[in-house]
Amino acid sequence: MDMLWSGWGDPAAATPLPETVAGLLHDLLGVKPRTAAPVTLDQIAVPAAPLDASTHAALLAAVGGHPEHVRTDAESRIRHTRGKSTPDLLRIRGGEVDDLPAAVVLPAGHDEVLAVLRACAAHGLVAVPFGGGTSVVGGLAPARHGAFVALDLRRMDGLLAVDPVSRTATLQAGLRAPHAEALLAAHGFTLGHFPQSYEWATIGGFAATRSSGQASAGYGRFDDMVLGLTLATPEGTVETGRAPRSAAGPDLRQLLLGSEGAFGVITSVTVRVRPVPRARVYDGWRFPTFGQGTDALRSLAQNGPRPTVLRLSDETETLVGLAQPDAIGSGAGRQNAGCLAVVGFEGTEEDTTRRRETATAVLRAAGGEPLGEEPGRRWAHGRYSAPYLRDALLDAGAFAETLETAAFWSRLPELYAAVRDALTTTLTDAGTPPLVMCHISHVYENGASLYFTVVSAQGDDPLAHWTRAKHAANDAILAAGGTITHHHGVGTDHRDWYVREAGDLAVDVLRAVKRRLDPAGVLNPGVLLPAD
């Protein structure tokens, strides 16, 4: 199944905004119903594919000669236009397709990816790797002069190997996360990687963006899981990972993880896997303030016991109910007030019980009030619902977007205040006062991430409003000592701030890597690094 071309996910799973929420948006934020419906797929004017006969033939030959594997029809090209950020959706709903690929190419394996990249280099085409299409930072909209192709990896969806002794598995890059979990479960294993994009994102996308799942406190980030990977470039193949750890020079895995298709196309990864947990339990806790809750999370992250899932919503997110997306409009958040934490444990029955009991004592001592399993069950049930809620907000005339960052624990309060203030001030000055919500989504011994959700009226020019606010928030993140992105990636949206964060010398080093692996500039130009 393809994702909805003008929104998120499965169209059958979309739900309208509850009337109570629509009324609240109107009363608090001045949100007005949309005056015009989004365009339909058949209303979008799509120019002919700008491929000459020789270029089309070269691409076709690279993927085995089957016409279905080089698609130039309008619908395929529209479905591979940009990603799923709110600006992306507003533009596609308005019929704007200036970032339309010339073709969608579907290779079947590593060798065919190599052949496609060589054909692109020979014919002056740009290649953009396309997994689930879930990028929210402009990762699928290259800076370019001329045509580009979307390199859709969906045919590369196999489990290549399982090593139960070492507890590793080798997965192809186009494998969607739910399918990967099903294949691993047949061998008694789980990857344990469950980001909000889980239902649609791919293994290669996780690696290319350094994804972090909602159970990262227990299973780690995706880049922690990767033991080796294979990369296809116009200049050949790079393979890394002969052992779980090595002192044989700098770790090239870490150079390629997070490279976002700018250095090459990740075609497979070898990952650490763990036994499918026998027990899962998610508890809700209430803290009077975000600061007290943050201190409690820090205590567990630093001193243990470390839960599998550990997240904390601020007062606003809890009040609105966004901490439990399927409860929006039910009043659940208002009933509990304060700040909602979800604390989850997975593993053996014995280990889960032991960690849960010990963590309960720590959370009580930190001022937490146990709410039982119901809030945790609601969170687990609705944890993939937020993108659908975003679409419903757009339909109702609201603007909704997210951004995330991370910092050391000592800098977290300053970072939280700075980003909230930047977003609130900028959007209010533009005439669309926002609702700004936040939660701690991932924790480490030394720090944590902050995930912000912003809702406002769309205004006369929602894209211009958001661009100003996003830039102000990015500036605030760097000034307050945060990183420009924790798990969404750099793309084009964060690129200029990433350059500031990394520094000119470090960026020059990365440019040198790109020049060696991609001398013709075929791979995703302008994503991650400024285009030459």
Side-chain angles (χ1 to χ4, degrees):
M1 178 193 300
D2 286 324
M3 191 186 295
L4 179 64
W5 69 274
S6 59
W8 182 265
D10 180 359
T15 56
L17 203 65
E19 290 185 9
T20 53
V21 177
L24 185 67
L25 292 171
H26 178 271
D27 295 341
L28 291 183
L29 303 179
V31 172
K32 300 176 183 178
R34 292 178 54 89
T35 57
V39 300
T40 59
L41 188 62
D42 59 2
Q43 289 176 325
I44 298 179
V46 177
L51 295 180
D52 59 37
S54 64
T55 302
H56 188 276
L59 293 173
L60 198 59
V63 291
H66 196 293
E68 177 64 15
H69 301 153
V70 178
R71 302 177 183 177
T72 57
D73 62 284
E75 181 172 340
S76 294
R77 293 165 66 201
I78 290 171
R79 289 185 178 278
H80 290 77
T81 299
R82 296 184 292 270
K84 296 298 181 180
S85 69
T86 295
D88 289 341
L89 296 189
L90 287 172
R91 292 173 65 191
I92 200 71
R93 287 173 172 219
E96 185 181 328
V97 289
D98 57 328
D99 292 326
L100 194 75
V104 179
V105 183
L106 294 89
H110 177 82
D111 289 343
E112 288 193 1
V113 174
L114 285 174
V116 171
L117 295 181
R118 288 166 179 155
C120 287
H123 290 270
L125 286 173
V126 162
V128 177
F130 192 100
T134 62
S135 173
V136 293
V137 293
L140 302 175
R144 70 194 192 287
H145 299 287
F148 78 98
V149 299
L151 193 59
D152 190 321
L153 304 181
R154 71 177 66 188
R155 296 176 65 210
M156 299 168 56
D157 63 349
L159 170 60
L160 300 180
V162 176
D163 179 348
V165 176
S166 305
R167 289 187 176 176
T168 69
T170 301
L171 310 170
Q172 286 187 300
L175 189 60
R176 286 224 322 242
H179 190 198
E181 280 296 317
L183 291 173
L184 291 171
H187 295 269
F189 292 111
T190 180
L191 189 57
H193 189 69
F194 305 104
Q196 198 170 74
S197 61
Y198 168 78
E199 296 172 309
W200 297 92
T202 61
I203 296 299
F206 292 154
T209 59
R210 290 186 180 270
S211 174
S212 193
Q214 296 174 355
S216 64
Y219 291 100
R221 292 164 52 97
F222 194 79
D223 47 352
D224 297 327
M225 302 174 185
V226 175
L227 303 173
L229 59 83
T230 301
L231 186 81
T233 82
E235 294 294 287
T237 299
V238 178
E239 294 191 69
T240 70
R242 298 172 65 94
R245 291 291 185 270
S246 171
D251 189 347
L252 290 180
R253 288 173 293 187
Q254 296 304 319
L255 175 66
L256 302 177
L257 289 166
S259 56
E260 300 190 24
F263 297 161
V265 179
I266 295 170
T267 57
S268 66
V269 295
T270 297
V271 291
R272 175 203 73 207
V273 293
R274 291 181 176 167
V276 173
R278 295 182 177 273
R280 289 186 175 95
V281 60
Y282 306 105
D283 292 324
W285 286 81
R286 177 191 175 276
F287 288 91
T289 68
F290 193 52
Q292 286 177 268
T294 299
D295 288 343
L297 266 62
R298 178 169 59 85
S299 178
L300 289 178
Q302 292 181 335
N303 305 317
R306 179 73 69 88
T308 307
V309 173
L310 188 57
R311 53 197 293 118
L312 172 73
S313 293
D314 71 0
E315 292 86 348
T316 306
E317 186 169 286
T318 301
L319 181 66
V320 171
L322 192 61
Q324 300 165 279
D326 66 338
I328 290 286
S330 69
R334 291 186 291 279
Q335 292 168 12
N336 292 323
C339 294
L340 175 66
V342 174
V343 185
F345 300 91
E346 298 181 5
T348 64
E349 294 279 0
E350 179 182 2
D351 177 64
T352 297
T353 299
R354 176 184 57 80
R355 287 190 294 140
R356 186 187 185 198
E357 289 177 350
T358 308
T360 293
V362 173
L363 295 170
R364 284 186 185 275
E369 173 191 347
L371 302 176
E373 294 184 38
E374 177 60 20
R377 281 197 295 262
R378 292 199 72 114
W379 170 81
H381 179 264
R383 61 179 170 171
Y384 306 128
S385 301
Y388 292 102
L389 174 63
R390 186 267 307 269
D391 288 359
L393 288 166
L394 289 178
D395 291 338
F399 184 95
E401 187 56 296
T402 62
L403 61 88
E404 39 72 51
T405 179
F408 295 112
W409 288 111
S410 60
R411 304 299 296 267
L412 215 61
E414 177 189 351
L415 179 62
Y416 171 73
V419 176
R420 279 181 55 90
D421 181 66
L423 292 167
T424 301
T425 299
T426 307
L427 286 167
T428 300
D429 289 348
T432 55
L435 190 65
V436 180
M437 298 163 277
C438 182
H439 63 264
I440 292 175
S441 56
H442 307 275
V443 300
Y444 308 93
E445 180 179 354
N446 308 110
S449 70
L450 295 174
Y451 190 100
F452 292 87
T453 300
V454 187
V455 180
S456 71
Q458 290 188 8
D460 295 333
D461 190 344
L463 294 179
H465 283 350
W466 177 245
T467 297
R468 285 191 292 268
K470 173 72 169 175
H471 289 185
N474 288 351
D475 289 341
I477 286 170
L478 294 190
T483 181
I484 197 58
T485 177
H486 173 263
H487 57 268
H488 281 171
V490 175
T492 54
D493 293 358
H494 294 146
R495 180 194 60 219
D496 295 344
W497 288 267
Y498 170 61
V499 168
R500 286 165 53 185
E501 180 179 331
D504 291 340
L505 182 57
V507 170
D508 285 345
V509 171
L510 296 180
R511 283 187 185 279
V513 172
K514 182 170 177 62
R515 281 193 296 270
R516 177 63 185 91
L517 297 177
D518 180 27
V522 165
L523 292 160
N524 228 1
V527 170
L528 184 68
L529 300 172
D532 289 329

